[in-house]
């Protein structure tokens, strides 16, 4: 399926690795120009090279702290200056610290809210006029299946990410018909984060091999495997395209069927 994204411009946050990078790759592969960002330049250069190697749209990398509204404003301005506009926004953010409720400090709650919710608020507010000016403006929020079913030990993600879904549903009604807003709810994918967790458990002797560790992560997934990050990226690219032109206000699980709700 040709998604007709050639010459579109997409801004993807937290995109030096993991699901953000996979989303940027999927959009670039379909011909979109992509802007990627992360706090540190260390991973951005490698991510930029990987996207350029796909021989799709052009790529621009901008070091950005998405918990700083001034840096977000500069990021959107750099996007528009480089490519002349902005058609698609993909909001992604690293996960907040894990832990149970009683071990979570008040400062942890405020930091998680800035990271997960306010970053999406600041991004959509700055991007909105440019998305409206586009013929096909879209927003896709990358969240987590924790917005549907709580995950043990992830109280911050369980509680705070749900605010992104409320924001998405509100914006989907307020921004339509000029801009569509949706969310994807990724389950377990073989991202650097999961790789680190499996390798750490392997060193502790919990698994006999890396493959055994991945199999454990997939034990409650009907598809009997964890996802490839590009599978999530493809869903983001589809929702950003006109092929999804009547899909608005949707929270799409991409989890191999693990969710029961």
């Amino acid at each position: 399926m040709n998604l007709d994204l050639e010459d579109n411009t997409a801004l993807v946050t937290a995109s030096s690795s993991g699901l953000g990078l996979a989303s940027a790759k999927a959009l670039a592969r379909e011909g979109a120009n992509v802007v990627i960002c992360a706090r540190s330049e260390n991973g951005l250069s490698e991510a930029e090279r990987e996207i350029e190697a796909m021989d799709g749209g052009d790529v621009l990398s901008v070091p950005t702290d998405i918990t700083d509204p001034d840096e977000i404003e500069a990021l959107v301005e750099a996007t528009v200056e480089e490519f002349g506009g902005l058609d698609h926004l993909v909001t992604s953010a690293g996960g907040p610290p894990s832990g149970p409720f009683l071990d979570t400090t008040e400062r942890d709650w405020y930091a998680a809210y800035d990271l997960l919710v306010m970053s999406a608020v600041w991004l959509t507010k700055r991007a909105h006029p440019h998305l409206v000016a586009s013929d096909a403006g879209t927003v896709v929020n990358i969240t987590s299946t924790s917005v549907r079913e709580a995950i043990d030990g992830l109280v911050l993600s369980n509680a705070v990410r749900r605010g992104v879904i409320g924001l998405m549903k509100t914006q989907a009604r307020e921004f339509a018909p000029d801009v569509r807003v949706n969310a994807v709810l990724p389950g377990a994918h073989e991202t650097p984060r999961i790789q680190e967790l499996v390798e750490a458990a392997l060193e502790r002797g919990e698994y006999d091999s890396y493959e055994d560790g991945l199999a454990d992560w997939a034990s409650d997934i009907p598809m009997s495997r964890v996802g490839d990050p590009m599978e999530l990226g493809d869903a983001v690219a589809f929702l950003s395209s006109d092929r999804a032109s009547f899909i608005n206000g949707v929270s799409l699980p991409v989890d191999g069927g693990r969710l029961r709700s």
Side-chain angles (χ1 to χ4, degrees), residues 227-244:
D228 182 321
M230 288 303 299
E231 292 175 301
L232 187 283
D234 288 340
V236 170
F238 170 71
L239 289 173
S240 301
S241 75
D242 281 343
R243 294 292 184 268

Side-chain angles (χ1 to χ4, degrees), residues 95-112:
S98 61
F101 172 74
L102 292 178
D103 291 345
T104 304
T105 68
E106 192 169 298
R107 185 179 295 275
D108 291 334
W109 283 99
Y110 284 115

Side-chain angles (χ1 to χ4, degrees), residues 9-78:
T9 296
L11 167 58
V12 187
T13 61
S15 43
S16 62
S17 66
L19 300 178
L21 175 57
S23 299
K25 284 182 174 180
L27 288 159
R29 186 178 59 195
E30 295 296 330
N33 302 316
V34 295
V35 179
I36 59 174
C37 75
R39 290 187 182 186
S40 172
E41 294 187 34
N42 294 339
L44 276 176
S45 297
E46 176 59 29
E48 187 172 4
R49 285 192 292 271
E50 290 182 24
I51 296 171
E52 287 174 340
M54 302 187 75
D55 197 26
D58 293 334
V59 57
L60 171 69
S61 62
V62 183
T64 306
D65 179 355
I66 61 171
T67 65
D68 185 330
D70 291 334
E71 293 198 24
I72 283 179
E73 184 169 4
L75 171 66
V76 173
E77 289 177 356

